[in-house]
Amino acid sequence: DAGITQSPRYKITETGRQVTLMCHQTWSHSYMFWYRQDLGHGLRLIYYSAAADITDKGEVPDGYVVSRSKTENFPLTLESATRSQTSVYFCASSESGLFANVLTFGAGSRLTVL
Amino acid sequence: DAKTTQPPSMDCAEGRAANLPCNHSTISGNEYVYWYRQIHSQGPQYIIHGLKNNETNEMASLIITEDRKSSTLILPHATLRDTAVYYCIVRRSSGGYQKVTFGTGTKLQVIP
């Protein structure tokens, strides 16, 4: 199906474990993004990517690693999960040019770190 | 970047028009106004954007004042499914992506 998909939708892990959240889009959009959403903080940008092999930090990048070897995939890795990283994570994508700021979001991945 | 100010919450009767205001008094001439909404537990959804002319699509209308310091998103016939948090964002449309920061938005409650 066309669109943007995130996996897993739900994940429970333990402190110190490595976790990777996957994001896949079928539009060949140039830009991809990772946000986290917590009560009281709204949506906060973690990392974004303008193209394959080009990534940049957002507001809250500490503790996260991203890569983008292919245009359609943008995985987010928590190398050593902490309780403070319990959150809902949203991936998004957008075209380049005039619609670069029109983001399409995935359904979200709810991560719980025990 | 221009900052936006939105009321934290609003109510609207089902079937009536919902008018959601946004102040962006420091907006620059090349900055557009974007609206998104987030229905509970879902990812945000793009609604509409505009520069200075009023815009309409199948979801909503966007009215931007002549001085561009404020705008109003109008949902002409609100339904219960329009209950959501609505975000107003200001960004340039040229020069590629700018880090899109979502504030806390307006929580719209549509009442039966």
Side-chain angles (χ1 to χ4, degrees):
Chain A
D1 291 338
I4 183 164
T5 55
Q6 295 184 230
S7 62
R9 294 291 316 280
Y10 301 91
K11 177 74 176 179
I12 299 174
T13 191
E14 295 177 339
T15 300
R17 299 260 186 161
Q18 183 179 80
V19 177
T20 296
L21 305 179
M22 303 300 295
C23 180
H24 175 79
Q25 52 104 354
T26 60
W27 297 299
S28 298
H29 281 172
S30 297
Y31 290 96
M32 295 189 75
F33 317 87
W34 276 106
Y35 286 84
R36 62 177 288 175
Q37 187 168 37
D38 309 289
L39 281 175
H41 288 281
L43 282 156
R44 292 183 290 176
L45 181 65
I46 305 171
Y47 270 96
Y48 72 101
S49 168
D53 298 321
I54 301 174
T55 62
D56 202 357
K57 296 178 180 179
E59 303 170 69
V60 289
D62 293 343
Y64 302 95
V65 175
V66 293
S67 61
R68 194 163 175 211
S69 57
K70 293 184 178 181
T71 299
E72 62 267 28
N73 296 323
F74 191 39
L76 176 74
T77 298
L78 290 68
E79 293 191 307
S80 179
T82 65
R83 290 195 180 89
S84 65
Q85 292 177 310
T86 292
S87 186
V88 181
Y89 291 85
F90 289 102
C91 178
S93 70
S94 69
E95 301 176 31
S96 58
L98 290 177
F99 291 91
N101 292 299
V102 176
L103 276 61
T104 301
F105 284 80
S109 294
R110 183 176 295 272
L111 176 67
T112 301
V113 182
L114 301 176
Chain B
D1 296 327
K3 293 185 178 179
T4 62
T5 304
Q6 299 177 254
S9 64
M10 294 181 64
D11 291 339
C12 177
E14 188 178 17
R16 305 295 294 269
N19 297 291
L20 294 100
C22 180
N23 285 313
H24 30 79
S25 58
T26 59
I27 192 169
S28 300
N30 62 352
E31 289 183 315
Y32 284 66
V33 180
Y34 294 81
W35 283 85
Y36 286 80
R37 74 179 181 183
Q38 186 174 23
I39 297 170
H40 181 62
S41 299
Q42 298 181 20
Q45 176 190 25
Y46 163 79
I47 301 172
I48 198 168
H49 75 285
L51 182 63
K52 55 182 178 180
N53 297 321
N54 298 338
E55 302 286 346
T56 296
N57 63 20
E58 66 278 4
M59 291 181 68
S61 294
L62 174 60
I63 308 297
I64 302 173
T65 57
E66 191 168 343
D67 63 9
R68 304 208 324 121
K69 292 185 177 181
S70 65
S71 61
T72 301
L73 180 74
I74 300 172
L75 308 177
H77 305 286
T79 70
L80 298 178
R81 288 176 293 179
D82 292 322
T83 293
V85 177
Y86 288 78
Y87 300 98
C88 169
I89 295 157
V90 174
R91 281 293 180 275
R92 298 188 315 272
S93 190
S94 61
Y97 169 75
Q98 301 97 50
K99 296 179 185 179
V100 177
T101 300
F102 291 79
T104 52
T106 296
K107 186 172 184 178
L108 175 68
Q109 182 72 46
V110 179
I111 302 168

